[in-house]
mmCIF file of all heavy atoms in Angstrom:
data_model
loop_
_atom_site.group_PDB
_atom_site.id
_atom_site.type_symbol
_atom_site.label_atom_id
_atom_site.label_comp_id
_atom_site.label_asym_id
_atom_site.label_seq_id
_atom_site.Cartn_x
_atom_site.Cartn_y
_atom_site.Cartn_z
ATOM 1 N N VAL A 108 -12.429 14.288 2.361
ATOM 2 C CA VAL A 108 -13.527 13.346 2.113
ATOM 3 C C VAL A 108 -13.712 13.118 0.622
ATOM 4 O O VAL A 108 -13.937 11.988 0.172
ATOM 5 C CB VAL A 108 -14.829 13.871 2.749
ATOM 6 C CG1 VAL A 108 -16.020 12.991 2.355
ATOM 7 C CG2 VAL A 108 -14.691 13.916 4.266
ATOM 8 N N ASP A 109 -13.604 14.173 -0.183
ATOM 9 C CA ASP A 109 -13.798 14.049 -1.628
ATOM 10 C C ASP A 109 -12.761 13.113 -2.251
ATOM 11 O O ASP A 109 -13.099 12.272 -3.090
ATOM 12 C CB ASP A 109 -13.713 15.424 -2.295
ATOM 13 C CG ASP A 109 -14.908 16.312 -1.963
ATOM 14 O OD1 ASP A 109 -15.915 15.770 -1.471
ATOM 15 O OD2 ASP A 109 -14.805 17.535 -2.177
ATOM 16 N N GLU A 110 -11.506 13.262 -1.848
ATOM 17 C CA GLU A 110 -10.451 12.408 -2.412
ATOM 18 C C GLU A 110 -10.646 10.954 -1.985
ATOM 19 O O GLU A 110 -10.473 10.032 -2.788
ATOM 20 C CB GLU A 110 -9.076 12.900 -1.973
ATOM 21 C CG GLU A 110 -7.936 12.136 -2.640
ATOM 22 C CD GLU A 110 -6.564 12.661 -2.281
ATOM 23 O OE1 GLU A 110 -6.485 13.746 -1.668
ATOM 24 O OE2 GLU A 110 -5.569 11.983 -2.617
ATOM 25 N N ALA A 111 -11.004 10.739 -0.727
ATOM 26 C CA ALA A 111 -11.251 9.374 -0.256
ATOM 27 C C ALA A 111 -12.436 8.764 -0.995
ATOM 28 O O ALA A 111 -12.418 7.578 -1.352
ATOM 29 C CB ALA A 111 -11.502 9.381 1.249
ATOM 30 N N ALA A 112 -13.477 9.560 -1.233
ATOM 31 C CA ALA A 112 -14.654 9.069 -1.941
ATOM 32 C C ALA A 112 -14.313 8.670 -3.366
ATOM 33 O O ALA A 112 -14.827 7.657 -3.886
ATOM 34 C CB ALA A 112 -15.747 10.135 -1.936
ATOM 35 N N GLU A 113 -13.451 9.431 -4.037
ATOM 36 C CA GLU A 113 -13.041 9.095 -5.397
ATOM 37 C C GLU A 113 -12.283 7.775 -5.435
ATOM 38 O O GLU A 113 -12.483 6.953 -6.335
ATOM 39 C CB GLU A 113 -12.185 10.219 -5.973
ATOM 40 C CG GLU A 113 -12.965 11.444 -6.410
ATOM 41 C CD GLU A 113 -13.988 11.132 -7.495
ATOM 42 O OE1 GLU A 113 -13.624 10.443 -8.466
ATOM 43 O OE2 GLU A 113 -15.146 11.549 -7.344
ATOM 44 N N ALA A 114 -11.401 7.563 -4.464
ATOM 45 C CA ALA A 114 -10.655 6.308 -4.400
ATOM 46 C C ALA A 114 -11.597 5.134 -4.155
ATOM 47 O O ALA A 114 -11.443 4.053 -4.736
ATOM 48 C CB ALA A 114 -9.595 6.376 -3.301
ATOM 49 N N LEU A 115 -12.586 5.346 -3.313
ATOM 50 C CA LEU A 115 -13.549 4.288 -3.005
ATOM 51 C C LEU A 115 -14.395 3.957 -4.228
ATOM 52 O O LEU A 115 -14.684 2.786 -4.502
ATOM 53 C CB LEU A 115 -14.436 4.738 -1.846
ATOM 54 C CG LEU A 115 -15.152 3.645 -1.057
ATOM 55 C CD1 LEU A 115 -14.166 2.635 -0.490
ATOM 56 C CD2 LEU A 115 -15.981 4.252 0.051
ATOM 57 N N LYS A 116 -14.783 4.973 -4.970
ATOM 58 C CA LYS A 116 -15.564 4.766 -6.192
ATOM 59 C C LYS A 116 -14.751 3.970 -7.216
ATOM 60 O O LYS A 116 -15.275 3.047 -7.862
ATOM 61 C CB LYS A 116 -15.968 6.116 -6.773
ATOM 62 C CG LYS A 116 -16.820 6.040 -8.023
ATOM 63 C CD LYS A 116 -17.194 7.442 -8.496
ATOM 64 C CE LYS A 116 -18.018 7.392 -9.779
ATOM 65 N NZ LYS A 116 -18.357 8.755 -10.254
ATOM 66 N N ALA A 117 -13.484 4.321 -7.372
ATOM 67 C CA ALA A 117 -12.622 3.605 -8.315
ATOM 68 C C ALA A 117 -12.410 2.162 -7.873
ATOM 69 O O ALA A 117 -12.352 1.242 -8.700
ATOM 70 C CB ALA A 117 -11.280 4.326 -8.445
ATOM 71 N N ALA A 118 -12.298 1.943 -6.562
ATOM 72 C CA ALA A 118 -12.118 0.587 -6.047
ATOM 73 C C ALA A 118 -13.348 -0.262 -6.321
ATOM 74 O O ALA A 118 -13.238 -1.446 -6.674
ATOM 75 C CB ALA A 118 -11.823 0.629 -4.550
ATOM 76 N N GLN A 119 -14.533 0.323 -6.171
ATOM 77 C CA GLN A 119 -15.764 -0.403 -6.450
ATOM 78 C C GLN A 119 -15.796 -0.848 -7.915
ATOM 79 O O GLN A 119 -16.202 -1.980 -8.231
ATOM 80 C CB GLN A 119 -16.983 0.459 -6.151
ATOM 81 C CG GLN A 119 -18.314 -0.275 -6.362
ATOM 82 C CD GLN A 119 -19.510 0.607 -6.075
ATOM 83 O OE1 GLN A 119 -19.370 1.822 -5.949
ATOM 84 N NE2 GLN A 119 -20.683 0.015 -5.982
ATOM 85 N N ALA A 120 -15.347 0.024 -8.815
ATOM 86 C CA ALA A 120 -15.319 -0.311 -10.237
ATOM 87 C C ALA A 120 -14.300 -1.408 -10.542
ATOM 88 O O ALA A 120 -14.483 -2.194 -11.472
ATOM 89 C CB ALA A 120 -15.002 0.935 -11.055
ATOM 90 N N GLU A 129 -4.145 -3.004 -8.642
ATOM 91 C CA GLU A 129 -4.963 -1.812 -8.719
ATOM 92 C C GLU A 129 -5.726 -1.596 -7.418
ATOM 93 O O GLU A 129 -5.790 -0.475 -6.895
ATOM 94 C CB GLU A 129 -5.939 -1.925 -9.889
ATOM 95 C CG GLU A 129 -6.784 -0.676 -10.113
ATOM 96 C CD GLU A 129 -5.970 0.541 -10.503
ATOM 97 O OE1 GLU A 129 -4.819 0.388 -10.975
ATOM 98 O OE2 GLU A 129 -6.478 1.665 -10.317
ATOM 99 N N LEU A 130 -6.319 -2.662 -6.874
ATOM 100 C CA LEU A 130 -7.055 -2.542 -5.618
ATOM 101 C C LEU A 130 -6.136 -2.137 -4.472
ATOM 102 O O LEU A 130 -6.519 -1.348 -3.605
ATOM 103 C CB LEU A 130 -7.753 -3.858 -5.294
ATOM 104 C CG LEU A 130 -8.977 -4.182 -6.165
ATOM 105 C CD1 LEU A 130 -9.385 -5.642 -5.983
ATOM 106 C CD2 LEU A 130 -10.142 -3.265 -5.830
ATOM 107 N N LEU A 132 -3.341 -0.368 -4.719
ATOM 108 C CA LEU A 132 -2.974 1.030 -4.881
ATOM 109 C C LEU A 132 -4.131 1.955 -4.507
ATOM 110 O O LEU A 132 -3.934 3.008 -3.893
ATOM 111 C CB LEU A 132 -2.526 1.288 -6.328
ATOM 112 C CG LEU A 132 -1.200 0.614 -6.716
ATOM 113 C CD1 LEU A 132 -0.955 0.749 -8.215
ATOM 114 C CD2 LEU A 132 -0.028 1.203 -5.937
ATOM 115 N N LEU A 133 -5.361 1.565 -4.864
ATOM 116 C CA LEU A 133 -6.528 2.371 -4.496
ATOM 117 C C LEU A 133 -6.756 2.339 -2.985
ATOM 118 O O LEU A 133 -7.181 3.339 -2.394
ATOM 119 C CB LEU A 133 -7.762 1.856 -5.233
ATOM 120 C CG LEU A 133 -7.785 2.150 -6.734
ATOM 121 C CD1 LEU A 133 -8.904 1.365 -7.417
ATOM 122 C CD2 LEU A 133 -7.954 3.653 -6.991
ATOM 123 N N ASN A 134 -6.476 1.198 -2.380
ATOM 124 C CA ASN A 134 -6.568 1.090 -0.928
ATOM 125 C C ASN A 134 -5.603 2.076 -0.261
ATOM 126 O O ASN A 134 -5.962 2.781 0.698
ATOM 127 C CB ASN A 134 -6.250 -0.346 -0.503
ATOM 128 C CG ASN A 134 -6.397 -0.563 0.984
ATOM 129 O OD1 ASN A 134 -7.463 -0.384 1.551
ATOM 130 N ND2 ASN A 134 -5.309 -0.953 1.635
ATOM 131 N N ARG A 135 -4.381 2.140 -0.796
ATOM 132 C CA ARG A 135 -3.393 3.092 -0.284
ATOM 133 C C ARG A 135 -3.895 4.520 -0.429
ATOM 134 O O ARG A 135 -3.752 5.345 0.474
ATOM 135 C CB ARG A 135 -2.068 2.948 -1.055
ATOM 136 C CG ARG A 135 -1.332 1.690 -0.796
ATOM 137 C CD ARG A 135 -0.022 1.558 -1.534
ATOM 138 N NE ARG A 135 0.344 2.637 -2.410
ATOM 139 C CZ ARG A 135 1.590 3.003 -2.668
ATOM 140 N NH1 ARG A 135 2.584 2.387 -2.065
ATOM 141 N NH2 ARG A 135 1.865 3.948 -3.517
ATOM 142 N N THR A 136 -4.475 4.815 -1.600
ATOM 143 C CA THR A 136 -4.967 6.166 -1.864
ATOM 144 C C THR A 136 -6.078 6.552 -0.897
ATOM 145 O O THR A 136 -6.110 7.672 -0.370
ATOM 146 C CB THR A 136 -5.472 6.276 -3.314
ATOM 147 O OG1 THR A 136 -4.406 5.948 -4.216
ATOM 148 C CG2 THR A 136 -5.970 7.678 -3.613
ATOM 149 N N PHE A 137 -7.003 5.619 -0.639
ATOM 150 C CA PHE A 137 -8.110 5.882 0.282
ATOM 151 C C PHE A 137 -7.585 6.203 1.683
ATOM 152 O O PHE A 137 -7.966 7.212 2.288
ATOM 153 C CB PHE A 137 -9.036 4.674 0.330
ATOM 154 C CG PHE A 137 -10.138 4.812 1.352
ATOM 155 C CD1 PHE A 137 -11.294 5.513 1.049
ATOM 156 C CD2 PHE A 137 -10.013 4.244 2.615
ATOM 157 C CE1 PHE A 137 -12.311 5.652 1.995
ATOM 158 C CE2 PHE A 137 -11.024 4.377 3.565
ATOM 159 C CZ PHE A 137 -12.178 5.081 3.249
ATOM 160 N N HIS A 138 -6.718 5.335 2.189
ATOM 161 C CA HIS A 138 -6.215 5.536 3.546
ATOM 162 C C HIS A 138 -5.420 6.839 3.648
ATOM 163 O O HIS A 138 -5.586 7.599 4.617
ATOM 164 C CB HIS A 138 -5.344 4.349 3.972
ATOM 165 C CG HIS A 138 -6.135 3.164 4.418
ATOM 166 N ND1 HIS A 138 -6.447 2.925 5.732
ATOM 167 C CD2 HIS A 138 -6.697 2.148 3.711
ATOM 168 C CE1 HIS A 138 -7.159 1.814 5.834
ATOM 169 N NE2 HIS A 138 -7.326 1.325 4.623
ATOM 170 N N ALA A 140 -5.674 9.541 1.819
ATOM 171 C CA ALA A 140 -6.552 10.705 1.714
ATOM 172 C C ALA A 140 -7.134 11.071 3.070
ATOM 173 O O ALA A 140 -7.251 12.256 3.408
ATOM 174 C CB ALA A 140 -7.669 10.427 0.715
ATOM 175 N N TRP A 179 -14.197 -3.024 1.432
ATOM 176 C CA TRP A 179 -14.840 -1.896 0.771
ATOM 177 C C TRP A 179 -16.003 -1.393 1.622
ATOM 178 O O TRP A 179 -16.177 -0.190 1.792
ATOM 179 C CB TRP A 179 -15.323 -2.328 -0.611
ATOM 180 C CG TRP A 179 -15.935 -1.230 -1.415
ATOM 181 C CD1 TRP A 179 -15.289 -0.203 -2.058
ATOM 182 C CD2 TRP A 179 -17.329 -1.024 -1.667
ATOM 183 N NE1 TRP A 179 -16.193 0.608 -2.679
ATOM 184 C CE2 TRP A 179 -17.450 0.129 -2.464
ATOM 185 C CE3 TRP A 179 -18.486 -1.712 -1.302
ATOM 186 C CZ2 TRP A 179 -18.687 0.620 -2.903
ATOM 187 C CZ3 TRP A 179 -19.719 -1.234 -1.725
ATOM 188 C CH2 TRP A 179 -19.808 -0.076 -2.523
ATOM 189 N N HIS A 182 -14.609 0.500 4.502
ATOM 190 C CA HIS A 182 -14.195 1.822 4.035
ATOM 191 C C HIS A 182 -15.397 2.753 3.912
ATOM 192 O O HIS A 182 -15.320 3.935 4.261
ATOM 193 C CB HIS A 182 -13.490 1.710 2.680
ATOM 194 C CG HIS A 182 -12.105 1.175 2.757
ATOM 195 N ND1 HIS A 182 -11.363 0.852 1.638
ATOM 196 C CD2 HIS A 182 -11.303 0.901 3.816
ATOM 197 C CE1 HIS A 182 -10.181 0.405 2.007
ATOM 198 N NE2 HIS A 182 -10.126 0.432 3.324
ATOM 199 N N LEU A 186 -15.830 6.330 5.762
ATOM 200 C CA LEU A 186 -16.084 7.540 4.982
ATOM 201 C C LEU A 186 -17.380 8.222 5.418
ATOM 202 O O LEU A 186 -17.444 9.457 5.516
ATOM 203 C CB LEU A 186 -16.147 7.191 3.496
ATOM 204 C CG LEU A 186 -16.345 8.363 2.535
ATOM 205 C CD1 LEU A 186 -15.179 9.345 2.628
ATOM 206 C CD2 LEU A 186 -16.501 7.863 1.101
#
Side-chain angles (χ1 to χ4, degrees):
V108 173
D109 290 345
E110 186 177 350
E113 284 300 313
L115 201 57
K116 182 179 178 181
Q119 183 181 13
E129 184 64 20
L130 287 167
L132 292 171
L133 288 169
N134 183 60
R135 291 181 359 149
T136 302
F137 175 83
H138 280 266
W179 183 75
H182 285 172
L186 183 62

